[in-house]
């Protein structure tokens, strides 16, 4: 009985620690003027994150990055995606099947004669890309089509 109690405590501790690692990561919202954003972002980052631009397909730094780690907002550092959510989609941009809970917001985008769902950083409002319902059916079915310039990859420490 004592061994069962010790085993149960050990399993509970492991599960609890794993759950804590993937908790909601969004902190207080960041508000800056456009002039302040222009000072801290590169021209390309500013064009995508603040003016809702899109980098050219297959040109982004993270299209073919599949290392373990996490992706954070390039403007504010908010943790958005874990590498285990990334998949190869052949769309030309980094694709994820899920965002970290609470890390992004969704806005209906009716530009260019189509209806899409825009994805923004929940912390700073930076434009990340769009989400579509053509992702892997075996997971969420979603494809977060994300501009490389709107995120930064932080490799997992070994």
């Amino acid at each position: 009985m004592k061994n069962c109690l010790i085993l149960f405590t050990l399993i509970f501790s492991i599960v609890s620690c794993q759950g804590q690692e993937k908790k909601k990561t969004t902190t207080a919202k960041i508000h800056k003027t456009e002039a302040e954003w222009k000072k801290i972002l590169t021209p390309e980052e500013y064009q995508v994150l603040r003016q809702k631009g899109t980098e050219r397909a297959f040109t982004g730094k993270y299209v073919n990055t599949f290392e373990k780690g996490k992706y954070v907002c390039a403007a504010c550092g908010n943790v958005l995606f874990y590498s285990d959510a990334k998949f190869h989609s052949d769309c030309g941009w980094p694709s994820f099947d899920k965002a970290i809970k609470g890390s992004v917001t969704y806005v209906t985008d009716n530009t260019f004669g189509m209806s899409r769902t825009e994805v923004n950083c929940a912390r700073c409002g930076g434009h990340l890309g769009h989400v579509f319902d053509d992702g892997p059916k075996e997971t969420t079915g979603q494809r977060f089509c994300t501009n490389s310039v709107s995120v930064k990859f932080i490799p997992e420490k070994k």
Side-chain angles (χ1 to χ4, degrees):
M1 182 67 174
K2 185 177 178 182
N3 288 342
C4 287
L5 184 59
I6 291 171
L7 182 61
F8 175 76
T9 304
L10 179 63
I11 291 170
F12 180 76
S13 297
I14 291 169
V15 170
S16 295
C17 289
Q18 287 176 345
Q20 288 175 1
E21 179 187 57
K22 295 201 178 194
K23 274 187 178 177
K24 183 176 161 182
T25 59
T26 306
T27 57
K29 295 209 183 278
I30 292 177
H31 301 282
K32 293 184 184 297
T33 66
E34 291 309 304
E36 290 172 317
W37 284 120
K38 278 186 177 181
K39 284 182 183 176
I40 63 171
L41 299 172
T42 68
E44 187 180 20
E45 288 170 339
Y46 183 82
Q47 198 266 333
V48 171
L49 286 158
R50 306 310 308 166
Q51 296 182 317
K52 303 177 188 286
T54 302
E55 66 194 4
R56 286 184 302 125
F58 301 101
T59 64
K61 183 175 182 177
Y62 302 120
V63 173
N64 293 311
T65 299
F66 290 97
E67 298 171 50
K68 289 251 184 223
K70 59 188 172 186
Y71 292 83
V72 302
C73 176
C76 71
N78 184 29
V79 182
L80 305 166
F81 305 102
Y82 290 114
S83 60
D84 62 358
K86 192 165 190 291
F87 66 96
H88 188 73
S89 70
D90 279 329
C91 72
W93 293 274
S95 297
F96 303 87
D97 65 0
K98 67 180 174 246
I100 295 171
K101 186 175 181 176
S103 68
V104 300
T105 59
Y106 304 93
V107 178
T108 300
D109 175 2
N110 291 315
T111 59
F112 305 111
M114 61 182 120
S115 184
R116 305 178 288 176
T117 302
E118 179 185 356
V119 180
N120 297 319
C121 173
R123 188 171 182 211
C124 71
H127 172 75
L128 304 171
H130 292 85
V131 63
F132 301 98
D133 291 325
D134 61 358
K137 300 287 184 231
E138 59 276 0
T139 59
T140 65
Q142 294 187 310
R143 175 175 56 93
F144 287 79
C145 187
T146 308
N147 291 286
S148 285
V149 73
S150 66
V151 296
K152 291 192 184 236
F153 177 69
I154 300 173
E156 186 178 88
K157 293 179 183 171
K158 296 186 182 198

